[in-house]
Amino acid sequence: MVSSKAARNSHGQDSSYFLGWQEYEKNPYHPTNNPSGIIQMGLAENQLSFDQIESWLESNPDVLGLKHDGASVFRELALFQDYHGLPSFKNALAEFMAELRENKVQFDPSNIVLTAGATSANEILMFCLADPGDAFLVPTPYYPGFDRDLKWRTGAEIVPIHCSSSNNFKITKSALEEACKRAQKKKLRVKGVLVTNPSNPLGTTLTRHELEILVDFICAKRIHLISDEIYSGTCFGIPEFISIAEVISGRIDNVADQVHIVYSLSKDLGLPGFRIGAIYSSNKAVIAAATKMSSFGLISSQTQYLLAMLLSDKHFTASYISENRRRIRIRHDQLVEGLAGIGIPCLESNAGLFCWVDMRHLLDKNTFTSEMELWKKIVYDVGLNVSPGSSCHCTEPGWFRVCFANMSTETLEMAMQRLASFVESGGQGEGPKGSRGLKRFMYWVRQLSLADDRTER
Ligand SMILES: Cc1ncc(COP(=O)(O)O)c(C=O)c1O
């Protein structure tokens, strides 16, 4: 019934990442209406700072009333359809992006293309830079949505850059070269590398050394580098986030034209429903092609107007950025400490809305089949939807991405209680009451309640 293009299974819809969401939708946890339902820990949403935006909206009622200085802007916005976007919004977004990078770099608004979220930004870049059958190298583990966003409609291919736990999943020169060779063997032309920095799912930032390796690599091969910096405002700890923009601004070669940044307000402001994304590139040909493409997924004018007003309020952005980071750090620490209390370690991380959790010791065998078995138990028996590493193309079984910013502290507490019982029972269900592990866990719950006073207002 549908075209062969629409039927192509490169969408990745049947990955456990999306299947977990479906299971959650069938039986969603609610503390009173459905207390035995599935808790959604597979969704990288940021619900920690809504109150800050809501209170700004309350103090600025004109903005939602589509007024400016008391006069209606309704008709202007209703008719606006320029695919270059509202200049006031692009200026405000460029300044916000610089502010997130502590103004170490500046962004020229004329180098921005607005898109309906980072999903659309990544697809547009892929459309502009790769022909069907061309490949982009992407370090593993990577965001499962990339299979859909980079491959499905463009016909481009992803060749994984295999990273491993032996060096905390760092990108190395040899891993890049090895991926290139694999692409050549498959007769794929490599058009570029795409990284997420900070990383989804690792929750870590790329080091300056890794960024230099990447830039040297794309320079030598004369290919492109896309840096998806959608989580740039979530970095809450040391080392600090370094944008690719900073690295290229210090270079004497002309590599800037090969480097493109993707950004979105879905994570830092927690507004995935508003669909606000952007491509930033100083390559004029890419900007011109991407601008034409953006017609298929523009940001509505009232959304641009609202965000232009919000992001132009420098007092708001400064306090939002620091408070949001503080809350993410507290929540991250709660999850890490809770998991440690039941003997589950995480990769040390400094950003993101999730942890990369090491459950290798809970596998029956060191295989992806065992990982799937464990995942099914966690979803159906424990009632937590987490994302298995295999859905992120991780090469080692036993890693899971666990999100922490899309729920209340009480729900996180409930999730940890369930996981503690599961671990205590050796993966069979309810744990024996009063055991050492459970005591350690109850201690953590008490710490969590104390931390609540610090997080919630
Ligand atoms: C790395 C990465 N890129 C892009 C996206 C898509 O974001 P958006 O909601 O802005 O389309 C996500 C969402 O989870 C993501 O994690």
Side-chain angles (χ1 to χ4, degrees):
M1 297 297 280
V2 296
S3 72
S4 56
K5 277 180 276 180
R8 267 179 1 135
N9 69 1
S10 57
H11 183 283
Q13 189 72 45
D14 48 3
S15 128
S16 48
Y17 178 75
F18 294 112
L19 291 181
W21 288 7
Q22 285 169 23
E23 289 313 302
Y24 164 76
E25 293 295 341
K26 287 182 208 159
N27 180 22
Y29 169 79
H30 185 276
T32 46
N33 299 345
N34 189 18
S36 62
I38 297 176
I39 297 175
Q40 175 61 295
M41 302 187 95
L43 189 58
E45 262 179 7
N46 179 6
Q47 296 186 18
L48 301 182
S49 295
F50 275 153
D51 60 312
Q52 295 194 76
I53 299 178
E54 281 164 346
S55 86
W56 185 89
L57 289 172
E58 262 168 44
S59 332
N60 294 275
D62 260 15
V63 176
L64 279 181
L66 301 184
K67 287 185 184 153
H68 190 56
D69 291 337
S72 173
V73 289
F74 166 74
R75 290 180 179 211
E76 222 174 284
L77 293 176
L79 293 173
F80 184 83
Q81 52 171 310
D82 183 345
Y83 62 14
H84 294 286
L86 282 179
S88 57
F89 175 54
K90 281 169 94 170
N91 290 339
L93 185 66
E95 285 179 14
F96 184 62
M97 287 170 68
E99 193 178 355
L100 289 172
R101 290 155 183 81
E102 270 141 28
N103 288 307
K104 289 179 192 153
V105 279
Q106 295 303 311
F107 293 92
D108 175 351
S110 66
N111 290 346
I112 289 180
V113 178
L114 298 176
T115 61
T119 301
S120 173
N122 279 317
E123 190 195 48
I124 289 177
L125 275 175
M126 208 48 50
F127 179 90
C128 294
L129 303 176
D131 283 312
D134 287 347
F136 260 71
L137 311 180
V138 183
T140 62
Y142 64 76
Y143 163 55
F146 282 153
D147 291 317
R148 172 198 61 203
D149 306 347
L150 309 188
K151 288 163 45 177
W152 190 39
R153 297 200 298 184
T154 66
E157 297 289 339
I158 292 176
V159 173
I161 302 165
H162 295 310
C163 300
S164 86
S165 62
S166 60
N167 68 349
N168 293 332
F169 301 94
K170 295 256 178 294
I171 300 171
T172 61
K173 245 192 226 174
S174 57
L176 282 166
E177 290 295 352
E178 193 267 329
C180 230
K181 280 196 192 118
R182 252 185 297 115
Q184 277 158 6
K185 261 194 189 157
K186 290 184 177 170
K187 306 231 178 317
L188 298 172
R189 191 164 58 140
V190 174
K191 292 304 296 280
V193 181
L194 183 146
V195 294
T196 56
N197 182 28
S199 161
N200 176 7
L202 298 175
T204 54
T205 48
L206 292 174
T207 62
R208 190 172 284 275
H209 180 61
E210 283 173 286
L211 291 164
E212 295 285 0
I213 287 177
L214 282 163
V215 176
D216 288 343
F217 181 78
I218 61 125
C219 212
K221 304 265 186 215
R222 300 168 71 94
I223 56 176
H224 295 272
L225 175 59
I226 300 174
S227 180
D228 180 337
E229 301 188 354
I230 188 171
Y231 294 98
S232 45
T234 67
C235 183
F236 53 81
I238 303 294
E240 281 175 6
F241 163 66
I242 305 170
S243 169
I244 195 66
E246 230 184 282
V247 174
I248 54 172
S249 75
R251 290 186 63 120
I252 46 169
D253 45 21
N254 237 350
V255 75
D257 269 8
Q258 290 158 245
V259 177
H260 322 283
I261 295 175
V262 165
Y263 187 55
S264 151
L265 298 180
S266 294
K267 311 298 176 180
D268 293 348
L269 285 190
L271 302 174
F274 280 24
R275 309 310 302 141
I276 312 148
I279 294 167
Y280 186 86
S281 174
S282 48
N283 185 320
K284 296 294 173 207
V286 171
I287 288 298
T291 304
K292 285 192 273 176
M293 274 293 287
S294 71
S295 297
F296 298 109
L298 296 174
I299 309 172
S300 75
S301 52
Q302 77 268 35
T303 301
Q304 291 190 50
Y305 175 69
L306 165 63
L307 269 300
M309 302 303 277
L310 181 85
L311 297 182
S312 306
D313 183 339
K314 294 293 161 219
H315 178 70
F316 168 79
T317 53
S319 79
Y320 179 91
I321 291 170
S322 64
E323 180 60 15
N324 183 47
R325 284 184 176 146
R326 191 184 75 85
R327 293 181 190 188
I328 294 173
R329 177 178 48 75
I330 291 173
R331 190 55 79 80
H332 160 275
D333 293 352
Q334 287 171 353
L335 178 65
V336 171
E337 285 163 27
L339 289 170
I342 47 179
I344 300 179
C346 297
L347 181 77
E348 203 175 316
S349 61
N350 61 337
L353 306 171
F354 32 73
C355 288
W356 187 237
V357 178
D358 182 359
M359 300 204 208
R360 284 178 293 181
H361 59 291
L362 297 177
L363 296 182
D364 284 341
K365 287 194 202 125
N366 184 28
T367 62
F368 285 109
T369 309
S370 282
E371 179 180 283
M372 269 301 111
E373 277 161 14
L374 177 60
W375 177 67
K376 281 184 198 151
K377 279 188 197 164
I378 296 175
V379 175
Y380 299 109
D381 301 347
V382 187
L384 307 179
N385 177 40
V386 297
S387 306
S390 51
S391 69
C392 304
H393 302 266
C394 186
T395 51
E396 296 169 31
W399 292 87
F400 290 81
R401 189 192 73 166
V402 179
C403 296
F404 55 71
N406 61 325
M407 67 194 76
S408 67
T409 320
E410 292 74 25
T411 305
L412 179 61
E413 197 173 302
M414 170 58 69
M416 290 298 109
Q417 262 172 37
R418 289 183 183 180
L419 206 53
S421 304
F422 176 70
V423 172
E424 279 300 305
S425 66
Q428 299 308 317
E430 280 284 309
K433 302 232 169 340
S435 65
R436 257 184 70 223
L438 212 55
K439 275 190 197 138
R440 252 197 339 256
F441 174 70
M442 291 318 291
Y443 169 78
W444 173 79
V445 170
R446 279 197 298 280
Q447 297 299 308
L448 189 65
S449 313
L450 292 174
D452 277 0
D453 301 338
R454 283 178 271 137
T455 331
E456 264 132 45
R457 300 178 137 204

